[in-house]
Amino acid sequence: MKVISIRENPEYYERGLAYIQDKWASGATLPLYEDCIFHALKTERPLPQWYLLLKADEIIGCAGLITNDFISRMDLYPWMCALFIDVAHRGKHYGQVLIEQAKADAKKIGFKQLYLCTDHVGYYEKYDFTYIGDGYHPWGDQSRIYQCDLLGGIENESKN
């Protein structure tokens, strides 16, 4: 099992982009992912990061580390997004591998917290995320917001 950053391994750009678009994009958002991932290859800034989880040379999962996940709480960042593990590989804690990579990179960059938004209840709590409230997407949906304190105990609404 190996996590790779598309930025650090640009030879995975085409395959990684296709995988992430297949798992997360709609027809309308295909260009959004392409533009974001393409520019992530060239930026000197630490974010965004896009990860692939490889088993041998097969991509079996993905995740991102970004500045905002289309959520009203733009005062909070960074966000882990687009976590996905292929159905055939679920139940083996592979999602945890990507979560831990996002946490480690966010901490290395200097962030004290990591956030995510989801409708799932009970999954992210296993990985030290705590529900802190709801946020709103531009298309009108509401999502639960979770925070993980990268330094230890939870400090809700703390500043980055």
Side-chain angles (χ1 to χ4, degrees), residues 83-94:
L83 177 66
F84 185 86
I85 300 295
D86 285 335
V87 174
H89 298 283
R90 291 183 185 167
K92 300 171 185 158
H93 303 284
Y94 292 154

Side-chain angles (χ1 to χ4, degrees), residues 85-111:
I85 300 295
D86 285 335
V87 174
H89 298 283
R90 291 183 185 167
K92 300 171 185 158
H93 303 284
Y94 292 154
Q96 181 180 9
V97 175
L98 289 163
I99 291 168
E100 294 303 325
Q101 184 70 53
K103 285 179 175 183
D105 284 353
K107 186 175 181 178
K108 182 170 65 176
I109 294 166
F111 291 104

Side-chain angles (χ1 to χ4, degrees), residues 11 41 53 63 66 68-69 90 92 101 103 127 149 153:
E11 66 273 18
L41 295 174
L53 182 62
I66 59 176
N68 187 275
D69 198 9
R90 291 183 185 167
K92 300 171 185 158
Q101 184 70 53
K103 285 179 175 183
Y127 304 109
D149 185 346

Side-chain angles (χ1 to χ4, degrees), residues 122-142:
Y123 179 74
Y124 293 100
E125 291 88 339
K126 295 183 237 177
Y127 304 109
D128 301 322
F129 282 88
T130 301
Y131 170 73
I132 62 167
D134 292 337
Y136 305 91
H137 297 285
W139 50 89
D141 290 348
Q142 182 175 332

Side-chain angles (χ1 to χ4, degrees), residues 17 20-21 24-25 29-38 50 82:
L17 174 63
I20 293 167
Q21 285 180 323
W24 284 102
T29 61
L30 284 169
L32 179 136
Y33 286 97
E34 181 173 7
D35 195 47
C36 180
I37 295 169
F38 176 76
W50 292 93

